[in-house]
Amino acid sequence: MRAEEAGALAAVRALYEEPVAYTGAGLAGDIIGAIPSEDRAPAFQGAGSTLRTLSFEIAYATLPSRPRKGDEITWKGKAYSVDDITERDDIEAWELGVQL
């Protein structure tokens, strides 16, 4: 990653990261920064398409070890379980899909 890209990425994280408690990956309920993202869930057969999907972007350097399914992220008073892990080398972060 070029220096200007790293600087821009740091600025984005400083602006959008929110505090979450993370349990797993070597942490025990520690408060870290994560960028929450909510979007429409993939289409499904049936009436209504109101499902939403929630994920958290967490910088590689923030977690002491690789996240695992079942790790817990607590955000805004709700505990979520990690159920999908994507390595985003382009932004040096984990993208963690969660469920309640």
Side-chain angles (χ1 to χ4, degrees):
M1 181 176 295
R2 297 181 310 200
E4 61 272 15
E5 292 172 327
L9 185 56
V12 167
R13 287 185 177 143
L15 185 61
Y16 292 106
E17 279 185 338
E18 295 188 21
V20 301
Y22 196 97
T23 301
L27 302 178
D30 297 35
I31 303 300
I32 63 169
I35 300 174
S37 178
E38 189 176 0
D39 201 359
R40 283 181 284 171
F44 63 96
Q45 298 290 334
S49 182
T50 60
L51 292 179
R52 305 291 289 171
T53 181
L54 178 63
S55 63
F56 292 89
E57 178 186 305
I58 299 175
Y60 288 157
T62 302
L63 298 177
S65 62
R66 181 181 175 81
R68 299 174 62 122
K69 287 187 176 190
D71 286 0
E72 185 176 281
I73 298 173
T74 302
W75 177 60
K76 294 187 175 182
K78 293 182 181 175
Y80 299 91
S81 177
V82 173
D83 68 353
D84 184 61
I85 301 164
T86 302
E87 292 183 53
R88 293 286 311 273
D89 291 337
D90 58 328
I91 56 172
E92 298 181 352
W94 303 104
E95 187 175 312
L96 305 176
V98 298
Q99 64 181 354
L100 270 174

Coordinates of all heavy atoms in Angstrom, one line a residue:
M1 N 0.9 -1.2 0.0 CA 0.0 0.0 0.0 C 0.9 1.2 0.0 O 1.8 1.3 0.8 CB -0.9 0.0 1.2 CG -1.9 1.1 1.3 SD -3.0 1.1 2.7 CE -4.0 -0.4 2.3
R2 N 0.6 2.2 -0.9 CA 1.4 3.4 -1.0 C 1.1 4.3 0.3 O 0.0 4.2 0.9 CB 1.0 4.1 -2.2 CG 1.4 3.3 -3.5 CD 1.1 4.1 -4.7 NE -0.3 4.6 -4.7 CZ -1.0 4.9 -5.7 NH1 -0.5 4.8 -6.9 NH2 -2.2 5.3 -5.6
A3 N 2.0 5.2 0.6 CA 1.8 6.1 1.7 C 0.6 6.9 1.7 O -0.1 7.0 2.7 CB 3.1 7.0 1.9
E4 N 0.2 7.4 0.5 CA -1.0 8.3 0.4 C -2.2 7.4 0.6 O -3.2 7.9 1.2 CB -1.0 9.1 -0.9 CG -1.1 8.2 -2.1 CD 0.3 7.9 -2.7 OE1 1.3 8.0 -2.0 OE2 0.3 7.4 -3.9
E5 N -2.2 6.2 0.2 CA -3.3 5.3 0.4 C -3.5 4.9 1.9 O -4.6 4.9 2.4 CB -3.2 4.0 -0.4 CG -3.3 4.2 -1.9 CD -2.9 2.9 -2.7 OE1 -2.0 2.1 -2.2 OE2 -3.5 2.7 -3.8
A6 N -2.4 4.7 2.5 CA -2.4 4.4 4.0 C -2.9 5.6 4.8 O -3.7 5.4 5.7 CB -1.0 4.0 4.5
G7 N -2.5 6.8 4.4 CA -3.0 8.0 5.0 C -4.5 8.2 4.8 O -5.2 8.5 5.8
A8 N -5.0 7.9 3.6 CA -6.4 8.1 3.4 C -7.2 7.0 4.1 O -8.3 7.3 4.7 CB -6.7 7.9 1.9
L9 N -6.7 5.8 4.2 CA -7.4 4.7 4.9 C -7.4 5.0 6.4 O -8.5 4.8 7.0 CB -6.6 3.4 4.7 CG -7.2 2.1 5.3 CD1 -8.7 1.9 4.8 CD2 -6.4 0.9 4.9
A10 N -6.4 5.6 7.0 CA -6.3 6.0 8.4 C -7.4 7.1 8.6 O -8.1 7.0 9.7 CB -4.9 6.4 8.8
A11 N -7.5 8.0 7.7 CA -8.5 9.1 7.9 C -9.9 8.5 7.8 O -10.8 8.9 8.6 CB -8.3 10.1 6.8
V12 N -10.2 7.6 6.9 CA -11.5 7.0 6.8 C -11.8 6.2 8.2 O -12.9 6.3 8.7 CB -11.6 6.0 5.6 CG1 -12.8 5.1 5.7 CG2 -11.6 6.8 4.3
R13 N -10.9 5.4 8.6 CA -11.1 4.7 9.9 C -11.3 5.7 11.1 O -12.2 5.4 11.9 CB -9.9 3.8 10.2 CG -9.9 2.6 9.2 CD -8.8 1.6 9.6 NE -9.0 0.4 8.7 CZ -8.0 -0.2 8.2 NH1 -6.7 0.1 8.5 NH2 -8.2 -1.3 7.4
A14 N -10.6 6.7 11.1 CA -10.7 7.7 12.2 C -12.1 8.3 12.2 O -12.7 8.6 13.2 CB -9.7 8.8 12.1
L15 N -12.7 8.5 11.0 CA -14.0 9.1 10.8 C -15.1 8.1 11.1 O -16.1 8.5 11.7 CB -14.1 9.7 9.4 CG -15.4 10.5 9.1 CD1 -15.5 11.7 10.0 CD2 -15.3 10.9 7.6
Y16 N -15.0 6.9 10.7 CA -16.1 6.0 10.7 C -16.1 4.9 11.7 O -17.1 4.2 12.0 CB -16.3 5.3 9.3 CG -16.8 6.3 8.3 CD1 -15.9 6.8 7.3 CD2 -18.1 6.8 8.3 CE1 -16.3 7.8 6.4 CE2 -18.5 7.8 7.3 CZ -17.6 8.2 6.4 OH -18.0 9.2 5.5
E17 N -15.0 4.6 12.3 CA -14.9 3.6 13.3 C -15.8 3.9 14.5 O -15.8 5.1 15.0 CB -13.5 3.3 13.8 CG -12.7 2.4 12.9 CD -11.3 2.1 13.4 OE1 -10.8 2.8 14.3 OE2 -10.7 1.1 12.9
E18 N -16.4 2.9 15.1 CA -17.2 3.0 16.3 C -16.7 2.0 17.3 O -16.1 1.0 16.9 CB -18.7 2.7 16.0 CG -19.3 3.7 15.0 CD -20.8 3.6 14.9 OE1 -21.4 3.0 15.8 OE2 -21.3 4.1 13.9
P19 N -16.8 2.3 18.6 CA -16.3 1.4 19.6 C -17.2 0.1 19.7 O -18.5 0.2 19.7 CB -16.4 2.2 20.9 CG -17.4 3.2 20.7 CD -17.4 3.5 19.2
V20 N -16.6 -1.0 19.7 CA -17.3 -2.3 19.9 C -16.5 -3.1 20.9 O -15.3 -2.9 21.1 CB -17.4 -3.1 18.6 CG1 -18.2 -2.3 17.5 CG2 -16.1 -3.6 18.0
A21 N -17.2 -4.0 21.6 CA -16.5 -5.0 22.5 C -16.3 -6.2 21.7 O -17.2 -6.8 21.1 CB -17.3 -5.2 23.7
Y22 N -15.0 -6.7 21.7 CA -14.7 -7.9 20.9 C -14.2 -9.0 21.8 O -13.3 -8.8 22.6 CB -13.7 -7.6 19.8 CG -13.6 -8.7 18.7 CD1 -14.3 -8.5 17.5 CD2 -12.9 -9.9 18.9 CE1 -14.2 -9.5 16.5 CE2 -12.9 -10.9 17.9 CZ -13.5 -10.6 16.8 OH -13.5 -11.6 15.8
T23 N -14.8 -10.2 21.7 CA -14.4 -11.4 22.4 C -14.0 -12.5 21.4 O -14.9 -12.9 20.6 CB -15.5 -11.9 23.3 OG1 -15.8 -10.8 24.3 CG2 -15.0 -13.1 24.1
G24 N -12.8 -12.9 21.4 CA -12.2 -13.9 20.5 C -11.0 -13.3 19.9 O -10.6 -12.2 20.1
A25 N -10.3 -14.1 19.1 CA -9.1 -13.6 18.3 C -8.1 -13.1 19.3 O -7.3 -12.1 19.0 CB -9.4 -12.6 17.3
G26 N -8.0 -13.6 20.5 CA -7.0 -13.2 21.5 C -7.5 -12.0 22.4 O -6.8 -11.5 23.2
L27 N -8.8 -11.6 22.2 CA -9.3 -10.5 23.1 C -10.4 -11.1 24.0 O -11.1 -12.0 23.6 CB -9.9 -9.4 22.2 CG -8.9 -8.7 21.2 CD1 -9.6 -7.7 20.4 CD2 -7.7 -8.1 22.0
A28 N -10.7 -10.4 25.1 CA -11.7 -10.9 26.0 C -12.6 -9.7 26.4 O -12.5 -9.1 27.5 CB -11.1 -11.4 27.3
G29 N -13.4 -9.3 25.4 CA -14.3 -8.2 25.7 C -13.7 -6.8 25.6 O -14.2 -5.8 26.0
D30 N -12.5 -6.7 24.9 CA -11.8 -5.5 24.8 C -12.5 -4.5 23.8 O -13.2 -5.0 22.9 CB -10.4 -5.7 24.2 CG -9.5 -6.6 25.1 OD1 -10.0 -7.5 25.7 OD2 -8.3 -6.4 25.1
I31 N -12.4 -3.3 24.1 CA -13.1 -2.2 23.3 C -12.1 -1.9 22.1 O -10.9 -1.5 22.4 CB -13.4 -1.0 24.1 CG1 -14.3 -1.3 25.2 CG2 -14.0 0.1 23.1 CD1 -15.7 -1.9 24.8
I32 N -12.6 -2.1 20.9 CA -11.7 -1.8 19.7 C -12.6 -0.9 18.8 O -13.8 -0.8 19.0 CB -11.3 -3.1 19.0 CG1 -12.5 -3.9 18.5 CG2 -10.4 -3.9 20.0 CD1 -12.1 -5.0 17.6
G33 N -12.0 -0.5 17.7 CA -12.7 0.3 16.7 C -13.1 -0.6 15.5 O -12.3 -1.5 15.1
A34 N -14.3 -0.5 15.1 CA -14.8 -1.2 13.9 C -15.7 -0.3 13.1 O -16.4 0.5 13.7 CB -15.5 -2.5 14.4
I35 N -15.8 -0.6 11.8 CA -16.7 0.2 11.0 C -17.9 -0.7 10.7 O -17.8 -1.7 9.9 CB -16.0 0.6 9.6 CG1 -14.8 1.5 9.9 CG2 -17.0 1.3 8.7 CD1 -14.0 1.9 8.7
P36 N -19.1 -0.4 11.2 CA -20.3 -1.2 10.9 C -20.8 -0.8 9.6 O -20.7 0.3 9.1 CB -21.2 -0.7 12.0 CG -20.8 0.6 12.5 CD -19.3 0.7 12.2
S37 N -21.4 -1.8 8.9 CA -22.0 -1.6 7.6 C -23.3 -2.5 7.5 O -23.2 -3.7 7.7 CB -21.0 -2.0 6.5 OG -21.6 -1.9 5.2
E38 N -24.4 -1.8 7.2 CA -25.6 -2.5 7.0 C -26.1 -2.4 5.6 O -26.0 -1.3 5.0 CB -26.7 -1.9 8.0 CG -27.9 -2.7 8.1 CD -28.9 -2.2 9.1 OE1 -28.6 -1.2 9.7 OE2 -30.0 -2.8 9.2
D39 N -26.6 -3.5 5.1 CA -27.0 -3.5 3.7 C -28.2 -4.5 3.5 O -28.5 -5.3 4.4 CB -25.8 -3.9 2.8 CG -26.0 -3.5 1.3 OD1 -27.1 -2.9 1.0 OD2 -25.1 -3.8 0.5
R40 N -28.8 -4.5 2.4 CA -29.8 -5.5 2.1 C -29.2 -6.9 2.0 O -28.2 -7.0 1.4 CB -30.5 -5.1 0.8 CG -31.5 -4.0 0.9 CD -32.2 -3.7 -0.4 NE -31.2 -3.0 -1.2 CZ -31.3 -2.8 -2.5 NH1 -32.4 -3.1 -3.1 NH2 -30.4 -2.1 -3.1
A41 N -30.0 -7.8 2.5 CA -29.5 -9.2 2.4 C -29.8 -9.7 0.9 O -30.6 -9.1 0.2 CB -30.3 -10.1 3.4
P42 N -29.1 -10.7 0.5 CA -29.4 -11.2 -0.9 C -30.9 -11.6 -1.0 O -31.6 -11.9 -0.1 CB -28.5 -12.5 -0.9 CG -27.5 -12.3 0.1 CD -28.1 -11.5 1.2
A43 N -31.4 -11.5 -2.3 CA -32.8 -11.7 -2.6 C -33.1 -13.2 -2.2 O -32.2 -14.1 -2.3 CB -33.0 -11.5 -4.0
F44 N -34.4 -13.4 -1.9 CA -34.8 -14.8 -1.6 C -36.2 -14.9 -2.1 O -36.9 -13.9 -2.5 CB -34.8 -15.0 -0.1 CG -35.7 -14.1 0.7 CD1 -37.0 -14.6 1.0 CD2 -35.4 -12.9 1.1 CE1 -37.9 -13.8 1.7 CE2 -36.2 -12.0 1.8 CZ -37.5 -12.5 2.1
Q45 N -36.6 -16.1 -2.3 CA -38.0 -16.4 -2.8 C -39.0 -16.2 -1.7 O -38.8 -16.6 -0.6 CB -38.1 -17.9 -3.2 CG -37.2 -18.2 -4.4 CD -37.6 -17.6 -5.7 OE1 -38.7 -17.2 -5.9 NE2 -36.6 -17.4 -6.6
G46 N -40.1 -15.5 -2.0 CA -41.1 -15.3 -1.0 C -41.5 -13.8 -1.0 O -40.9 -12.9 -1.6
A47 N -42.5 -13.6 -0.2 CA -43.1 -12.2 0.0 C -42.1 -11.3 0.8 O -41.6 -11.8 1.8 CB -44.4 -12.3 0.6
G48 N -42.0 -10.1 0.3 CA -41.2 -9.1 1.1 C -39.7 -9.4 1.0 O -39.3 -10.5 0.9
S49 N -38.9 -8.4 0.9 CA -37.5 -8.5 0.9 C -36.9 -7.5 1.8 O -36.3 -6.5 1.4 CB -37.0 -8.3 -0.6 OG -35.6 -8.5 -0.6
T50 N -37.2 -7.7 3.1 CA -36.8 -6.7 4.1 C -35.6 -7.1 5.0 O -35.3 -6.4 5.9 CB -38.0 -6.4 5.0 OG1 -38.4 -7.6 5.6 CG2 -39.1 -5.8 4.2
L51 N -35.0 -8.3 4.7 CA -33.9 -8.7 5.5 C -32.7 -7.8 5.3 O -32.5 -7.3 4.2 CB -33.5 -10.2 5.1 CG -34.5 -11.2 5.5 CD1 -34.0 -12.6 5.0 CD2 -34.8 -11.2 7.0
R52 N -31.9 -7.6 6.3 CA -30.7 -6.8 6.3 C -29.5 -7.7 6.7 O -29.7 -8.7 7.4 CB -30.9 -5.6 7.2 CG -32.1 -4.8 7.0 CD -32.1 -4.0 5.8 NE -31.1 -2.9 5.8 CZ -30.8 -2.2 4.8 NH1 -31.4 -2.4 3.6 NH2 -29.9 -1.2 4.8
T53 N -28.4 -7.3 6.3 CA -27.2 -7.9 6.7 C -26.3 -6.9 7.3 O -26.2 -5.8 6.9 CB -26.5 -8.6 5.5 OG1 -25.3 -9.3 5.9 CG2 -26.1 -7.6 4.4
L54 N -25.6 -7.3 8.4 CA -24.7 -6.5 9.1 C -23.3 -7.0 9.1 O -23.1 -8.2 9.3 CB -25.2 -6.3 10.6 CG -24.4 -5.4 11.5 CD1 -24.3 -4.0 11.1 CD2 -24.9 -5.5 12.9
S55 N -22.3 -6.2 8.9 CA -20.9 -6.6 9.0 C -20.1 -5.5 9.6 O -20.5 -4.4 9.8 CB -20.4 -6.9 7.6 OG -20.4 -5.8 6.8
F56 N -18.9 -5.9 10.1 CA -18.0 -5.0 10.7 C -16.6 -5.1 10.0 O -16.1 -6.3 9.8 CB -17.8 -5.3 12.2 CG -19.1 -5.1 13.0 CD1 -20.0 -6.0 13.2 CD2 -19.3 -3.8 13.6 CE1 -21.2 -5.8 13.9 CE2 -20.4 -3.6 14.3 CZ -21.4 -4.6 14.5
E57 N -16.0 -4.0 9.7 CA -14.7 -4.0 9.2 C -13.7 -3.7 10.3 O -13.9 -2.7 11.0 CB -14.6 -2.9 8.1 CG -13.2 -2.7 7.5 CD -13.2 -1.5 6.6 OE1 -14.0 -1.4 5.6 OE2 -12.3 -0.7 6.8
I58 N -12.8 -4.6 10.5 CA -11.8 -4.4 11.6 C -10.4 -4.6 11.0 O -10.1 -5.6 10.3 CB -12.0 -5.5 12.7 CG1 -13.4 -5.3 13.3 CG2 -11.0 -5.3 13.8 CD1 -13.8 -6.3 14.3
A59 N -9.6 -3.6 11.2 CA -8.2 -3.6 10.7 C -7.4 -4.8 11.2 O -7.6 -5.2 12.3 CB -7.5 -2.3 11.1
Y60 N -6.6 -5.4 10.3 CA -5.8 -6.6 10.6 C -5.1 -6.3 11.9 O -5.0 -7.2 12.8 CB -4.8 -6.9 9.5 CG -5.4 -7.5 8.3 CD1 -4.7 -7.4 7.1 CD2 -6.6 -8.2 8.2 CE1 -5.1 -8.0 5.9 CE2 -7.1 -8.8 7.1 CZ -6.3 -8.7 5.9 OH -6.8 -9.2 4.7
A61 N -4.4 -5.1 12.0 CA -3.6 -4.8 13.2 C -4.3 -4.7 14.5 O -3.7 -4.8 15.6 CB -2.8 -3.5 12.9
T62 N -5.6 -4.6 14.5 CA -6.4 -4.5 15.7 C -6.5 -5.8 16.5 O -6.6 -5.8 17.7 CB -7.8 -3.9 15.4 OG1 -7.6 -2.6 14.7 CG2 -8.6 -3.7 16.6
L63 N -6.6 -6.9 15.7 CA -6.8 -8.2 16.4 C -5.5 -8.9 16.5 O -4.8 -9.0 15.5 CB -7.8 -9.0 15.6 CG -9.3 -8.5 15.4 CD1 -10.1 -9.4 14.6 CD2 -9.9 -8.2 16.8
P64 N -5.2 -9.5 17.7 CA -4.0 -10.2 17.9 C -3.9 -11.5 17.1 O -2.8 -11.9 16.7 CB -4.0 -10.6 19.4 CG -5.0 -9.7 20.0 CD -6.0 -9.3 19.0
S65 N -5.0 -12.1 16.7 CA -5.0 -13.3 15.9 C -6.2 -13.3 14.9 O -7.1 -12.5 15.1 CB -4.9 -14.6 16.7 OG -6.1 -14.7 17.5
R66 N -6.2 -14.3 14.1 CA -7.3 -14.4 13.1 C -8.6 -14.6 13.8 O -8.8 -15.4 14.7 CB -7.0 -15.6 12.2 CG -8.0 -15.8 11.1 CD -7.7 -17.0 10.2 NE -8.8 -17.3 9.3 CZ -8.9 -16.7 8.1 NH1 -8.1 -15.8 7.8 NH2 -9.9 -17.0 7.3
P67 N -9.7 -13.8 13.3 CA -11.0 -14.0 13.9 C -11.5 -15.4 13.5 O -11.1 -16.0 12.5 CB -11.8 -12.9 13.2 CG -11.1 -12.5 12.1 CD -9.6 -12.8 12.3
R68 N -12.5 -15.9 14.3 CA -13.1 -17.2 14.0 C -14.6 -17.1 14.1 O -15.1 -16.2 14.8 CB -12.6 -18.2 15.0 CG -11.1 -18.4 15.0 CD -10.7 -19.3 16.2 NE -11.3 -20.6 16.0 CZ -10.7 -21.8 15.9 NH1 -9.4 -21.8 15.9 NH2 -11.3 -22.9 15.7
K69 N -15.3 -18.0 13.4 CA -16.7 -18.1 13.5 C -17.1 -18.3 15.0 O -16.4 -19.0 15.7 CB -17.3 -19.2 12.7 CG -17.3 -18.9 11.2 CD -18.0 -20.0 10.4 CE -18.0 -19.6 9.0 NZ -18.9 -20.5 8.2
G70 N -18.1 -17.6 15.5 CA -18.5 -17.7 16.9 C -17.9 -16.6 17.7 O -18.3 -16.4 18.9
D71 N -16.9 -15.9 17.3 CA -16.4 -14.7 18.0 C -17.6 -13.8 18.3 O -18.5 -13.8 17.5 CB -15.3 -14.0 17.3 CG -13.9 -14.7 17.3 OD1 -13.8 -15.8 17.9 OD2 -13.0 -14.2 16.7
E72 N -17.5 -12.9 19.3 CA -18.6 -12.1 19.6 C -18.2 -10.6 19.5 O -17.2 -10.2 20.0 CB -19.1 -12.4 21.1 CG -20.3 -11.6 21.4 CD -20.8 -12.0 22.8 OE1 -21.5 -13.0 22.9 OE2 -20.5 -11.2 23.8
I73 N -19.1 -9.9 18.9 CA -19.0 -8.4 18.8 C -20.2 -7.8 19.4 O -21.3 -8.1 19.0 CB -18.9 -7.9 17.3 CG1 -17.7 -8.6 16.6 CG2 -18.9 -6.4 17.2 CD1 -17.6 -8.3 15.1
T74 N -20.0 -6.9 20.4 CA -21.1 -6.2 21.1 C -21.0 -4.8 20.6 O -20.0 -4.1 20.8 CB -21.0 -6.3 22.6 OG1 -21.0 -7.7 23.0 CG2 -22.2 -5.7 23.3
W75 N -22.2 -4.4 20.1 CA -22.3 -3.0 19.5 C -23.7 -2.5 19.8 O -24.7 -3.2 19.6 CB -22.1 -3.1 18.0 CG -22.2 -1.8 17.2 CD1 -21.5 -0.7 17.4 CD2 -23.1 -1.5 16.1 NE1 -21.9 0.3 16.5 CE2 -22.9 -0.2 15.7 CE3 -24.1 -2.3 15.5 CZ2 -23.6 0.3 14.7 CZ3 -24.8 -1.7 14.5 CH2 -24.6 -0.4 14.1
K76 N -23.7 -1.3 20.4 CA -25.0 -0.6 20.7 C -25.9 -1.5 21.6 O -27.1 -1.6 21.4 CB -25.7 -0.1 19.5 CG -25.0 0.9 18.7 CD -25.8 1.5 17.6 CE -25.1 2.7 16.9 NZ -25.9 3.3 15.9
G77 N -25.2 -2.2 22.5 CA -26.0 -3.0 23.5 C -26.4 -4.4 23.0 O -27.1 -5.1 23.7
K78 N -26.1 -4.8 21.8 CA -26.5 -6.1 21.2 C -25.2 -6.9 20.9 O -24.3 -6.4 20.4 CB -27.3 -5.9 19.9 CG -28.7 -5.3 20.2 CD -29.4 -5.2 18.9 CE -30.8 -4.5 19.1 NZ -31.5 -4.4 17.8
A79 N -25.3 -8.2 21.3 CA -24.2 -9.1 21.0 C -24.4 -9.9 19.7 O -25.5 -10.5 19.6 CB -24.0 -10.1 22.2
Y80 N -23.5 -9.8 18.9 CA -23.6 -10.5 17.6 C -22.5 -11.6 17.5 O -21.4 -11.4 18.0 CB -23.3 -9.5 16.4 CG -24.3 -8.4 16.4 CD1 -24.1 -7.2 17.0 CD2 -25.5 -8.5 15.6 CE1 -25.1 -6.1 17.0 CE2 -26.4 -7.5 15.6 CZ -26.2 -6.3 16.3 OH -27.1 -5.3 16.2
S81 N -22.8 -12.6 16.8 CA -21.9 -13.7 16.6 C -21.3 -13.7 15.2 O -22.1 -13.5 14.2 CB -22.6 -15.0 16.8 OG -21.7 -16.1 16.6
V82 N -20.0 -13.8 15.0 CA -19.4 -13.8 13.7 C -19.7 -15.1 13.0 O -19.6 -16.1 13.6 CB -17.8 -13.6 13.9 CG1 -17.2 -13.8 12.5 CG2 -17.5 -12.3 14.5
D83 N -20.2 -14.9 11.8 CA -20.6 -16.1 11.0 C -20.0 -16.1 9.6 O -20.1 -17.1 8.9 CB -22.1 -16.4 10.9 CG -22.8 -15.3 10.1 OD1 -22.2 -14.3 9.7 OD2 -24.0 -15.5 9.9
D84 N -19.3 -15.1 9.2 CA -18.6 -15.0 7.9 C -17.4 -14.1 8.0 O -17.4 -13.0 8.6 CB -19.6 -14.4 6.9 CG -19.0 -14.4 5.5 OD1 -18.7 -15.5 5.0 OD2 -18.8 -13.4 4.9
I85 N -16.3 -14.6 7.5 CA -15.0 -13.9 7.6 C -14.4 -13.8 6.2 O -14.2 -14.7 5.5 CB -14.0 -14.7 8.5 CG1 -14.6 -15.0 9.9 CG2 -12.7 -14.0 8.6 CD1 -13.9 -16.0 10.7
T86 N -14.2 -12.5 5.9 CA -13.6 -12.2 4.6 C -12.3 -11.4 4.8 O -12.3 -10.4 5.5 CB -14.5 -11.4 3.7 OG1 -15.7 -12.1 3.5 CG2 -13.9 -11.1 2.3
E87 N -11.2 -11.9 4.2 CA -9.9 -11.1 4.3 C -9.9 -10.1 3.2 O -10.1 -10.4 2.0 CB -8.7 -12.1 4.1 CG -8.5 -13.0 5.2 CD -7.3 -13.9 5.0 OE1 -6.2 -13.4 4.8 OE2 -7.5 -15.1 5.0
R88 N -9.8 -8.8 3.6 CA -9.8 -7.7 2.6 C -8.4 -7.1 2.6 O -8.1 -6.1 3.2 CB -10.8 -6.6 3.0 CG -12.3 -7.0 2.9 CD -12.7 -7.1 1.5 NE -12.4 -5.9 0.7 CZ -13.1 -4.8 0.7 NH1 -14.3 -4.7 1.3 NH2 -12.7 -3.8 -0.1
D89 N -7.5 -7.8 1.8 CA -6.1 -7.3 1.7 C -6.0 -6.0 1.1 O -5.1 -5.2 1.4 CB -5.3 -8.3 0.9 CG -5.1 -9.7 1.6 OD1 -5.2 -9.7 2.9 OD2 -4.8 -10.7 0.9
D90 N -7.0 -5.6 0.3 CA -6.9 -4.3 -0.4 C -7.1 -3.1 0.7 O -6.6 -2.0 0.4 CB -8.0 -4.2 -1.4 CG -9.4 -4.4 -0.9 OD1 -9.6 -5.2 0.1 OD2 -10.4 -3.8 -1.5
I91 N -7.7 -3.4 1.8 CA -7.9 -2.4 2.8 C -7.3 -2.8 4.2 O -7.5 -2.2 5.2 CB -9.3 -1.9 3.0 CG1 -10.2 -3.2 3.3 CG2 -9.8 -1.2 1.8 CD1 -11.6 -2.8 3.7
E92 N -6.5 -3.9 4.1 CA -5.8 -4.5 5.3 C -6.8 -4.6 6.5 O -6.5 -4.2 7.6 CB -4.6 -3.6 5.7 CG -3.6 -3.6 4.6 CD -2.3 -2.8 4.9 OE1 -2.3 -2.1 5.9 OE2 -1.4 -2.8 4.1
A93 N -7.9 -5.3 6.2 CA -8.9 -5.4 7.2 C -9.7 -6.7 7.1 O -9.8 -7.3 6.0 CB -9.9 -4.3 7.2
W94 N -10.3 -7.2 8.2 CA -11.2 -8.3 8.1 C -12.6 -7.7 7.9 O -13.0 -6.7 8.5 CB -11.2 -9.0 9.5 CG -9.9 -9.5 9.9 CD1 -9.1 -9.0 10.9 CD2 -9.3 -10.7 9.4 NE1 -8.0 -9.8 11.0 CE2 -8.0 -10.8 10.1 CE3 -9.6 -11.6 8.5 CZ2 -7.1 -11.9 9.9 CZ3 -8.7 -12.7 8.2 CH2 -7.5 -12.8 8.9
E95 N -13.4 -8.3 7.1 CA -14.8 -8.0 7.0 C -15.6 -9.1 7.6 O -15.5 -10.3 7.1 CB -15.2 -7.8 5.5 CG -16.6 -7.3 5.4 CD -16.9 -7.0 3.9 OE1 -16.1 -6.3 3.2 OE2 -18.0 -7.4 3.5
L96 N -16.2 -8.9 8.7 CA -16.9 -9.9 9.5 C -18.4 -9.8 9.5 O -19.0 -8.8 10.0 CB -16.4 -9.8 11.0 CG -14.9 -9.8 11.2 CD1 -14.5 -9.6 12.7 CD2 -14.3 -11.1 10.7
G97 N -19.0 -10.8 8.8 CA -20.5 -10.8 8.8 C -20.9 -11.4 10.1 O -20.3 -12.3 10.7
V98 N -22.0 -10.9 10.6 CA -22.5 -11.3 11.9 C -24.0 -11.6 11.9 O -24.7 -11.2 11.0 CB -22.2 -10.2 13.0 CG1 -20.8 -9.9 13.2 CG2 -23.0 -8.9 12.7
Q99 N -24.4 -12.3 13.0 CA -25.8 -12.5 13.2 C -26.1 -12.4 14.7 O -25.3 -12.5 15.5 CB -26.2 -13.9 12.7 CG -25.6 -15.1 13.5 CD -26.0 -16.4 12.9 OE1 -26.8 -16.5 12.0 NE2 -25.3 -17.4 13.4
L100 N -27.4 -12.1 15.0 CA -27.8 -11.9 16.4 C -27.9 -13.2 17.1 O -28.1 -14.3 16.5 CB -29.2 -11.3 16.5 CG -29.2 -9.8 16.5 CD1 -30.6 -9.3 16.5 CD2 -28.5 -9.2 17.7

